[in-house]
Amino acid sequence: MPPYEVDGSEARSRRGLVLSSAWVLASILLMVLPVPVQQGISAALRGTLLAPFLWTQESLSRTRIRAVEIEELQARFDSTVALLATQSTLGAENAHLRALLELRERSGPAFVSASAIRPGTRGSESMFLLDVGSEDGVSVNDPVVAAEGLVGLIREVGPRNSLALDWTHPDFAVSTMTLDAETFGIVEARGGTFREEDRLILSGIPFYTTLEPGEVLVTSGQGAVYPRGIRVGTIFSLAETEAGWRRGYWVTPAVRVGSVTHVLVITGEEGRPVSELTHLWAEPEPELEPEVEPGIEPDPESGPESGLESGLESGLVAGLDAGAGGTP
């Protein structure tokens, strides 16, 4: 008589059905949870289950960046050594001049340097991870910048890492102004069919206000997130007009976020928020040439002393003429 065997296919199918139902219920529950709770769960997963994968991805990214940039760093090092060899006395001369003028070194805002790592998962194209966190002084809504201008802001903060969004995120918006502080508007992200087609649009401009292509936009400082003066981009072209009331302009972003690997997080100055950063991205003013009256050729040998002497002579002559005219 053959031995009796229990058919386990029915039990396995029942177990699979239960697991599938549990995953479906968990997905529905996560979708209806409030956003802060969802962010807390995602932060907990990144700190526990996904921590080894994130660490591996971070290590691979750093290794790839070091391998690509080693030759460029070597060239920069060689050029720096050559420059220091020829200008070794500049530092001592500058320190001596500062001591003579009794000037103190200006203390600027606090910046924390960080490496930007793209998660590379679907749905996180506008987010990136930073290897700095609350232990480094980083907090939520701190601006993230590069040498060219604004990149984005911090969304979530952990002890040693943080999650940030860039200007391509649908929730990105910043109050901007022109350099002359005459025109203000809101810059928002406008997504394209492909990521390379993502652009910025400036809205809220009065209909009778015209902005020229190439005009620079910086943060206006309105609100409690972005300090005043961070470069956002430049005007590209007219985008839309709203029934004769408002205009919209396409904006060329200052930073191409796809190529960003290193950023700076603005954390404040001595525990206080930063309010003015215009000088960091301000363009140098061109030198003005002295005006020359028509028909008079400038004397190359004339200097400040000759100008002072001519001014004194003209003043003395005018005074003598006035005195002679007033004598009876």
Side-chain angles (χ1 to χ4, degrees), residues 9-78:
S9 59
E10 184 177 354
R12 287 193 297 269
S13 62
R14 187 181 299 108
R15 190 183 302 113
L17 180 60
V18 171
L19 290 177
S20 301
S21 302
W23 282 115
V24 171
L25 291 176
S27 302
I28 296 174
L29 180 62
L30 290 175
M31 291 177 63
V32 300
L33 287 176
V35 175
V37 178
Q38 295 181 6
Q39 293 179 352
I41 295 176
S42 63
L45 290 176
R46 286 196 302 271
T48 55
L49 296 178
L50 299 180
F53 301 98
L54 294 177
W55 180 83
T56 303
Q57 184 179 10
E58 181 179 351
S59 301
L60 293 175
S61 177
R62 289 181 177 178
T63 303
R64 183 169 59 254
I65 293 174
R66 291 169 184 170
V68 171
E69 295 181 350
I70 186 64
E71 295 182 359
E72 182 180 356
L73 291 176
Q74 183 64 41
R76 291 183 179 181
F77 176 76
D78 295 339

Side-chain angles (χ1 to χ4, degrees), residues 244-328:
W245 290 95
R246 296 181 179 181
R247 291 175 181 264
Y249 290 88
W250 293 118
V251 177
T252 302
V255 180
R256 290 296 179 184
V257 294
S259 59
V260 172
T261 56
H262 296 86
V263 296
L264 295 175
V265 182
I266 304 176
T267 59
E269 178 184 1
E270 299 180 357
R272 299 187 301 273
V274 182
S275 59
E276 179 65 39
L277 294 177
T278 306
H279 61 286
L280 297 181
W281 282 275
E283 298 180 355
E285 298 182 357
E287 298 182 358
L288 299 178
E289 298 182 357
E291 297 182 358
V292 181
E293 297 182 2
I296 300 179
E297 297 182 358
D299 187 3
E301 297 181 357
S302 62
E305 296 180 357
S306 61
L308 179 61
E309 293 176 359
S310 62
L312 291 175
E313 290 178 0
S314 60
L316 290 174
V317 171
L320 291 175
D321 293 342
T327 304

Side-chain angles (χ1 to χ4, degrees), residues 188-267:
E188 299 174 316
R190 185 67 62 87
T193 306
F194 301 98
R195 182 169 176 80
E196 293 77 9
E197 297 180 359
D198 292 343
R199 291 189 290 181
L200 294 173
I201 187 169
L202 174 66
S203 58
I205 304 300
F207 183 77
Y208 293 103
T209 300
T210 303
L211 299 179
E212 299 296 332
E215 196 160 354
V216 178
L217 297 176
V218 297
T219 53
S220 64
Q222 298 179 354
V225 178
Y226 299 101
R228 180 187 178 100
I230 304 176
R231 184 185 292 268
V232 177
T234 56
I235 297 295
F236 180 72
S237 63
L238 181 65
E240 57 189 9
T241 56
E242 185 177 338
W245 290 95
R246 296 181 179 181
R247 291 175 181 264
Y249 290 88
W250 293 118
V251 177
T252 302
V255 180
R256 290 296 179 184
V257 294
S259 59
V260 172
T261 56
H262 296 86
V263 296
L264 295 175
V265 182
I266 304 176
T267 59

